[in-house]
Amino acid sequence: TETDTIEHSLDHSLQETHSIESQLNSISPTPISPIDSETHSTTNTDAIAEAYHIFKKQQSTTGQLGTTIGPHYQPHTLLTNPPSPSSVTLELLLASQAHLGHSTSLWNPANSRYIFGIRQGIHIISLDVTAAYLRRAAKIVSGVAERGGLILFVGTRPNQDRCVVNAATLAGGCHLFERWIPGSITNGQQILGSCKVKIVDEFDREIEGSREQLVDCPSLKPDLVVCLNPLENYVLLHECGLNNIPTVGVIDTDANPTWVTYPIPANDDSLRCIQVIAGVLGKAGEEGQKKRHEAAKRGDVAFTPRTGLESPTSSTEANVSAA
């Protein structure tokens, strides 16, 4: 019957428990109290309480011994909580390997003013210069964002997409982590003419009903370009130079610093270094956006509206009156 089956399983479990007790008693110096076959409980509960008190006493005595885990490097914090321009330190740049250049046989002589020295055939970049130039670039990004300018962040090397997108999101700009299409600036009307454009107010809110006025609008051009790998994007930098668009770029010892308007001498091969620089510039753009929004709340508009555009409400009223 079902009752016999349950009793048989209980007896089998009790036999297994007794076998485990015998094994533990053969190993442990303190014998374990046996389990009663009828009540299925230990016969000596005082021994269990005493053992528990001994364990808690040992835990309180030896619990403070050993090592503790201090602050350590967490890679995701450079994306989730990037450093601000004011918190840039030489220790942070050194930990991100921003000081490592290329071999002395690959150097560009124009970078001699950024080089600290040579070690084992490798140029060492001066971190004092890197920190100063990075703070200067952060001021440029913050100023452009404060005046409502369009900032383009470019990083086309592998694994740079996350930091590029995060920096562009913070600064309220655009991002590019794939191949740059040649002619997107010099021949932008043919390449980017079909892209959608919208009109926003001083709080970056889209004005509904204004898309009809942008049918013949020329393609937008960025007011500032931040390039994290100038060697692979020389065409982009050349087009920016032809259209008088200022650029910010990470310049390694093998790159030409004259390609960009505001160079940042650093190791462009270190992903952690690129994440630090992109995070600092994105944070600077975020600070500029906050200043612009605060000024807009006071009624101060930091940018000049485009001429030739009408308010959707006024154009609708004019059409109604004409009808």
Side-chain angles (χ1 to χ4, degrees):
T1 61
E2 185 177 358
T3 305
D4 296 337
T5 305
I6 295 175
E7 291 180 355
H8 179 71
S9 62
L10 290 176
D11 293 337
H12 181 68
S13 300
L14 189 62
Q15 291 177 1
E16 290 182 352
T17 305
H18 286 310
S19 63
I20 294 174
E21 288 178 358
S22 60
Q23 293 178 3
L24 293 177
N25 288 328
S26 62
I27 299 174
S28 176
T30 304
I32 299 176
S33 302
I35 297 178
D36 191 0
S37 303
E38 296 181 358
T39 60
H40 298 284
S41 62
T42 56
T43 57
N44 188 7
T45 57
D46 295 335
I48 296 177
E50 183 179 359
Y52 177 75
H53 288 299
I54 293 174
F55 166 73
K56 297 298 290 183
K57 183 178 180 180
Q58 291 178 351
Q59 187 180 25
S60 62
T61 304
T62 62
Q64 302 297 329
L65 302 178
T67 59
T68 56
I69 301 178
H72 57 284
Y73 169 55
Q74 297 178 347
H76 64 277
T77 56
L78 294 177
L79 298 174
T80 58
N81 187 22
S84 60
S86 59
S87 62
V88 175
T89 59
L90 300 184
E91 290 81 3
L92 176 62
L93 296 177
L94 181 65
S96 61
Q97 300 177 354
H99 62 291
L100 298 178
H102 283 272
S103 175
T104 55
S105 61
L106 300 176
W107 81 309
N108 191 312
N111 293 319
S112 59
R113 50 185 172 177
Y114 310 139
I115 296 175
F116 177 78
I118 301 174
R119 182 174 179 83
Q120 296 181 357
I122 301 296
H123 275 129
I124 304 300
I125 302 174
S126 177
L127 293 181
D128 292 331
V129 178
T130 302
Y133 279 59
L134 179 57
R135 294 190 184 99
R136 183 185 68 169
K139 289 183 179 179
I140 299 299
V141 174
S142 178
V144 173
E146 185 178 357
R147 288 162 178 80
L150 181 61
I151 305 176
L152 174 62
F153 289 84
V154 180
T156 57
R157 287 187 180 179
N159 301 323
Q160 288 185 356
D161 49 354
R162 293 185 61 190
C163 61
V164 170
V165 173
N166 183 66
T169 303
L170 291 175
C174 303
H175 60 267
L176 174 68
F177 51 83
E178 296 180 351
R179 186 181 72 90
W180 171 260
I181 300 177
S184 297
I185 294 179
T186 55
N187 194 22
Q189 191 63 29
Q190 298 295 329
I191 298 177
L192 303 177
S194 60
C195 295
K196 294 183 179 180
V197 184
K198 62 181 180 180
I199 301 178
V200 297
D201 58 5
E202 61 273 14
F203 297 101
D204 293 340
R205 297 174 301 191
E206 183 179 1
I207 301 177
E208 300 295 338
S210 59
R211 291 184 178 271
E212 292 77 8
Q213 305 181 42
L214 301 176
V215 177
D216 298 331
C217 177
S219 61
L220 294 179
K221 296 180 181 179
D223 298 294
L224 178 67
V225 174
V226 178
C227 185
L228 302 178
N229 53 333
L231 290 178
E232 290 83 0
N233 295 285
Y234 172 74
V235 177
L236 164 64
L237 300 177
H238 181 68
E239 293 183 16
C240 292
L242 294 177
N243 289 269
N244 297 324
I245 299 175
T247 55
V248 176
V250 180
I251 299 298
D252 210 333
T253 56
D254 61 339
N256 189 352
T258 61
W259 288 356
V260 296
T261 312
Y262 303 101
I264 302 176
N267 182 12
D268 62 350
D269 297 314
S270 173
L271 181 60
R272 183 177 177 183
C273 176
I274 294 299
Q275 289 177 347
V276 169
I277 294 176
V280 169
L281 298 181
K283 207 74 172 180
E286 184 182 29
E287 294 177 359
Q289 293 278 351
K290 291 181 179 179
K291 292 180 181 179
R292 181 166 60 86
H293 291 164
E294 292 175 357
K297 292 179 181 179
R298 299 191 302 265
D300 300 332
V301 180
F303 58 91
T304 304
R306 183 178 180 140
T307 59
L309 297 179
E310 298 179 359
S311 176
T313 56
S314 61
S315 61
T316 304
E317 294 175 356
N319 294 333
V320 171
S321 61

